[in-house]
Structures are given as C-alpha cells and as structure tokens.
Amino acid sequence: MNSNLTSRLLGVTNPLRSNSSRGFVRALSTSTSIETFTLPSPKLFIGNEWVDAENSSTMPVHSPRDGRVVSYLANASSSDVNLAVSSARACFDELAKGTGGWPGSPPGERAEVLRRMADGLRDRMEEFSYVESLDCGKPIEESRADMDACASFFEYYADLISKGGFLSTERLPCPEDGVEGRLLREPVGVVGMITPWNFPLMQAVVKVAPALAAGCSMILKPSPLSSMTCLMMGDLAREAGAPPGALNIITGGPPGPTNNDGESCGVALGKHPGLDKMSFTGSGPTGTALLHEGAKLLRPTGLELGGKGAMLILDDADMDTVVDWAMIGIFYCTGQVCSATSRVIIDESLVEEFSARLAKAVEEKLVVGDPLDARSNMGPMVSADQRDKVLAAVAVASEDDRCESILKDSSATFSESADAGGYYVAPQIFRCKRGADGSWPEAWTEEIFGPVLSIGTFSAGSVDEAVEMANDSPYGLGHTVFTGDEARADAVATRLRSGVVWTNINQALYPSTPFGGCKQSGFGREYGELGIEDFCHHKTVISAKPGFSWGWYGA
C-alpha cells in the first residue's frame, strides 16, 4: 500500500505528533487523573498459585495506544496445559469420590464466591478499567462500562442459583403409581475456554461466572493480544474463596524459543482429551478447527463466532436517533464487535438525509485518540496486524466502483493524543450498490472487524426487500430494525435470521438476555439462564419404592 493512500486512510496528512514520554501511563483527562497500577506479572494461574511457564517462557505485551511494550505474558507450553487440566480435573473429580468438593458444594456457597468476586472487582474497578484500556485500546469510559457489566454478571448468576432455585431438582410426571422422576442439573465437568481480545474480561466472565455457578472447573485461555485483566481475575477468584483448580488461567501465543514443543497452548487446550466441554468465542476458522477436535472426542463445543449485522431503517424511522444508533453499531469498540451492525439497509427515500447527517456526526462528534484520554470515544485497533487488515479492506473498497465513500476528509476526528506509534485508523463509511452481475462488494459481504460501515438501499416501502437483504449473509448473529410502528418492528423481527434482534435500539445486552447466533455465527448461548444451561449436564433419575416390581418374570 503506498504511503499516500495509507495517510488518507489513517485520516492524517502528516505523521502524528510523537510523544517522548518513556512511561506507559499518560493521564490525559482534564477532569480525572489516572493512577499508576501494577500490571500482572508473567505467570500462569494454576491451582490457585502463580507459576512460571515451562522454561520461564514469556512474550511481550504491546499497548495499542502507542505500540510500546508495557509488560510480558507467560507463554505456556502443552506441558503447562496438561498441568492446568490436571488441576481442574482434580477439583472436579472430588464429586465422584463422594467428598463433594466444589461441584458438590451447595449453590448458596458458590453464590457467595461469585458475590465476593463481584465485590472485589468493584473495589478495583478503576485499576481493571485502566489495565483493560492499556491492553486492548478500548476508550477508558468503555472499559469502565465493561467492568461494571462484569461485576453484574457475577451478581446475576449468584442470584440465579441462590434465589431463583435454578439448580433445584425438577419433578417429572410419571404415569405409574409408586414411580417418580426427577431432572437434575449438574455441572458438565472440566471446561476449556478460549476467549477473544475485543472485550477481554467480559468475554471471559460470561463463561466463567455461569460455569462457576454450575459447579464446573475450568481452564481459561484468553487471547495473547489482551490477557491482563483475565489474569487479574485469578486473584479475585482466590480471594473470594474459590478452591484450587476451579479456575485456572493460562496465557500464550505461538511456540517460542523456550517452549517450542510444536504447538501453541491454544491448540494444545483445544485437542486435550481431559476436557468435558469446550467453549470458544472468536473467528470462524478457529471455531471450525475446535469443532473438528471436539468431534474426534465426541465432546460438546459451544461456538460464538463472527457476524455481518444489518441495521434496517424503514421509511417511518426516527431520524433524530438512528444516526446515533448507527454510530454505536459500528464505532463502539472501534468496530471490533462480532455483533456490529456493519451494514445499514435503508429505505431509498431516506438515504440522502441519513448519509449527510451521519457524515456530519462523525466529523463533529467522533474523537479518535488515546484510550486513556477521557476525550476519546474511539480508540486504536487492538494490534498492528488488525490495523493492517482493516486498512487493506478499506483499500479494496476504495478501488471498487460499487463503493463510494461519504467521508471525504475525516482528519478532524483525530485527537492530538493519538500517538504516531499507535494502531489508529479513521472511520470509513461507504455507499454500496450491486454490480451489473448482481454481486455486492466485499465491504458489504465480508466481516471487516473495524470501523467500516456500508450503506445499501432498498426500494421505497419494500420491507420484503429489506429483510431479504439482511438475511442474504452466511452470518446470523445480530440485526436491528428501526421504525415508528412497534407492531411493524415485531413483524420484521420474526423474519430476520439471527440469534439476536433489536428493535429501535442497538447492541444492548444485559446479564439476563441470552446471546448467540445461527448459521456461520455459531451455536450455543451465553448470558441469561441459557448461559448456565450450557455448563450443565442434565441427569434424569427415575425412582421406585423398595420392593416395587413389574412382575414380568414372576417376582
């Protein structure tokens, strides 16, 4: 890619001003000073102990805000994975030994552990928020909202198992006198969890909290691009009273010079025969590989994968709010959201007004800058590789005659706090249309996973066409529809093929609302009661009183 094109895509005409500070903390907020916090040391959390990876192997942590190395992670080997699985297995197998242990503990006791984890997180909220922003580039206000949500998830599942009777025995009707049936929800066992980098702690907590609530033990393997807050969760669990082996946390990436046993710790975990279940959030190709490994072992695998969400704007939509919801749908978390509504499907009668309003809002309201600067409302991409992938996708769109940019100059969106070494990109919005052969451009069909929005139109008043356009995708994770008629919104919602549909709102999720996809967006559900069902084994017990017999053979 030539330097002029790169400069235009980044939204700058000159290199961003360098920062000469050698420290990795810059308190840029005019109203809040950000304290310096101690970052996690490069250790693995196994059996409630912090241990070195095999041969003390480590890997650097680059902060997206400036590209600098701010810390190191332990780079686990397959031997370390074996140790973590053994720890989790020993914890869970106390149940079969008759001693109960963690999986056999009363739900109320597990609920108290979850509540103490929530309390510990709330006590350290600013520390966790700062580390999250430093690690993955999320604006500090987004990180604070995420940390609050994480605490709420711990509290939700604590309440669910202690107050709602979720894990209580369910009586089953049996037609025969003297016989009764019961349905028991038991922990599924030892769970492997591989989580992504876009919502580092939250994507882990939505697995860890319900799994702990169910009584599972687990091995969490967060993304090497953003593992630090997940590591910090280890201390939360230990201090809250979780027993050794209930939560193990391993980190790492590709094999390094000191742990070069031929496979990464993620691969080793994905194929480990000691797991009873695998739960994965991330890319389609990795999800496919994990599903194949699970098939070899006849092991269940939950997958939450990518998306290419659609935002349908019908002819009676409230234009004063749809622009804001469109921006939330694509610029929150710098567009690195699996449920991002990266396709706007709008009635052709509204597209000119909408496009003009959206371009103006981006130029006036979107501030791309240092995630630790409270003025920033969009941060950098998580890594240089991710930045380059997005820039390459934008370059393809810019050269495609089926795409027209509606942002002629977005340089005003950059804050002076955006460091030249950081992984920043400018927001991009394209008007897209079908080609002569009926095909859509890649910007419309492919998941870019960045702040790139595509706008397409449907014939005036043709809701059928809008629904067809939305469903014309291999993905089915999250769509939204905007209309002034609530009944019309509900009717459209029933026709959209996705795991989640919003109407007159976008990206809203709560601990009680199940989340997941269909088609190539995966299967299984997180959040809500279905989120804990994913970590439960359902056992049917049918009982008769002593001495009962059918008498078929003369009893």
Side-chain angles (χ1 to χ4, degrees):
M1 188 180 301
N2 66 61
S3 59
N4 289 336
L5 178 58
T6 301
S7 181
R8 182 169 68 82
L9 296 180
L10 285 169
V12 294
T13 54
N14 296 302
L16 292 168
R17 184 164 54 88
S18 301
N19 189 295
S20 59
S21 171
R22 288 293 150 200
F24 54 77
V25 179
R26 285 188 289 163
L28 298 171
S29 169
T30 57
S31 59
T32 307
S33 76
I34 298 175
E35 185 179 353
T36 302
F37 298 108
T38 302
L39 301 179
S41 54
K43 303 275 188 179
L44 308 173
F45 187 73
I46 300 176
N48 274 5
E49 300 291 337
W50 292 105
V51 299
D52 288 327
E54 185 180 31
N55 299 321
S56 299
S57 178
T58 62
M59 55 188 298
V61 175
H62 296 266
S63 177
R65 63 194 287 263
D66 52 20
R68 296 187 178 116
V69 174
V70 296
S71 188
Y72 290 85
L73 295 175
N75 194 6
S77 67
S78 58
S79 295
D80 297 314
V81 171
N82 289 336
L83 186 64
V85 173
S86 295
S87 173
R89 176 56 62 190
C91 177
F92 185 78
D93 284 352
E94 291 297 315
L95 180 65
K97 294 177 181 178
T99 56
W102 174 250
S105 61
E109 290 184 11
R110 299 200 296 274
E112 285 307 307
V113 171
L114 292 171
R115 290 193 181 98
R116 287 192 288 268
M117 290 182 73
D119 291 343
L121 178 55
R122 292 197 187 281
D123 289 343
R124 299 171 60 187
M125 189 75 71
E126 195 65 12
E127 177 185 0
F128 270 79
S129 301
Y130 162 74
V131 174
E132 192 87 317
S133 291
L134 182 73
D135 199 13
C136 75
K138 189 182 295 284
I140 188 68
E141 287 303 316
E142 287 188 24
S143 291
R144 288 171 178 142
D146 287 359
M147 297 307 105
D148 184 68
C150 289
S152 295
F153 275 106
F154 285 124
E155 292 162 346
Y156 170 81
Y157 285 108
D159 289 345
L160 183 65
I161 62 174
S162 62
K163 297 178 182 179
F166 178 80
L167 296 178
S168 60
T169 299
E170 181 179 341
R171 298 291 176 180
L172 304 175
C174 293
E176 195 163 13
D177 290 341
V179 179
E180 66 175 23
R182 292 170 290 155
L183 179 66
L184 310 181
R185 287 184 177 89
E186 298 178 344
V188 73
V190 176
V191 183
M193 302 173 173
I194 300 179
T195 56
W197 41 260
N198 53 346
F199 292 83
L201 187 64
M202 190 160 71
Q203 290 282 14
V205 167
V206 298
K207 301 180 189 296
V208 169
L212 288 175
C216 297
S217 59
M218 65 214 70
I219 305 94
L220 170 65
K221 194 274 177 190
S223 166
L225 296 178
S226 51
S227 295
M228 289 198 288
T229 50
C230 288
L231 285 169
M232 292 162 66
M233 183 167 50
D235 281 332
L236 293 183
R238 180 172 60 181
E239 293 164 7
L247 173 62
N248 303 276
I249 307 169
I250 59 173
T251 59
T258 56
N259 73 336
N260 191 9
D261 53 7
E263 62 185 13
S264 70
C265 64
V267 171
L269 181 62
K271 65 195 294 186
H272 203 289
L275 304 180
D276 297 305
K277 182 180 177 71
M278 170 58 72
S279 180
F280 171 74
T281 300
S283 71
T286 302
T288 299
L290 289 171
L291 195 59
H292 278 289
E293 293 298 336
K296 296 175 186 177
L297 300 165
L298 293 180
R299 180 184 64 204
T301 301
L303 300 177
E304 201 271 278
L305 307 175
K308 191 67 178 178
M311 178 177 177
L312 282 69
I313 303 176
L314 307 189
D315 55 5
D316 58 348
D318 178 7
M319 290 295 288
D320 289 332
T321 58
V322 292
V323 168
D324 189 53
W325 286 119
M327 291 178 67
I328 289 171
I330 194 60
F331 300 134
Y332 186 80
C333 197
T334 321
Q336 300 168 122
V337 183
C338 54
S339 62
T341 45
S342 55
R343 292 181 297 154
V344 164
I345 300 173
I346 186 168
D347 190 291
E348 62 184 8
S349 66
L350 301 178
V351 68
E352 297 300 334
E353 179 186 0
F354 173 78
S355 298
R357 286 196 186 197
L358 183 59
K360 182 178 180 182
V362 168
E363 293 168 1
E364 295 181 353
K365 297 180 180 179
L366 198 65
V367 179
V368 183
D370 187 334
L372 298 182
D373 183 345
R375 297 168 296 182
S376 302
N377 53 25
M378 193 176 102
M381 307 301 297
V382 72
S383 67
D385 284 347
Q386 188 64 20
R387 175 200 61 197
D388 293 345
K389 288 177 182 177
V390 171
L391 291 180
V394 172
V396 169
S398 299
E399 297 168 0
D400 192 324
D401 59 9
R402 295 169 296 177
C403 298
E404 177 189 359
S405 175
I406 70 168
L407 296 179
K408 302 305 181 185
D409 181 7
S410 56
S411 61
T413 64
F414 276 83
S415 164
E416 63 179 9
S417 66
D419 192 289
Y423 311 138
Y424 299 93
V425 299
Q428 300 290 330
I429 303 174
F430 293 99
R431 286 271 298 272
C432 296
K433 61 183 180 181
R434 295 181 189 269
D437 61 355
S439 64
W440 286 98
E442 288 184 12
W444 183 263
T445 60
E446 302 296 322
E447 184 182 37
I448 296 174
F449 222 63
V452 183
L453 180 66
S454 297
I455 302 173
T457 61
F458 60 91
S459 303
S462 180
V463 175
D464 289 346
E465 184 182 352
V467 171
E468 182 181 0
M469 289 171 65
N471 289 336
D472 184 19
S473 171
Y475 299 107
L477 189 52
H479 297 321
T480 181
V481 56
F482 286 82
T483 170
D485 186 331
E486 294 182 18
R488 193 184 191 194
D490 289 341
V492 172
T494 64
R495 300 172 61 188
L496 293 173
R497 282 280 292 155
S498 63
V500 179
V501 178
W502 295 280
T503 65
N504 293 314
I505 193 172
N506 199 359
Q507 303 301 309
L509 291 169
Y510 307 95
S512 60
T513 55
F515 176 77
C518 62
K519 300 194 282 187
Q520 290 185 22
S521 290
F523 41 80
R525 290 295 180 267
E526 297 179 332
Y527 299 59
E529 291 190 11
L530 294 182
I532 192 172
E533 289 278 12
D534 244 22
F535 297 106
C536 288
H537 164 67
H538 298 84
K539 178 186 289 183
T540 299
V541 178
I542 301 173
S543 305
K545 295 179 180 179
F548 179 88
S549 175
W550 281 339
W552 281 10
Y553 299 102

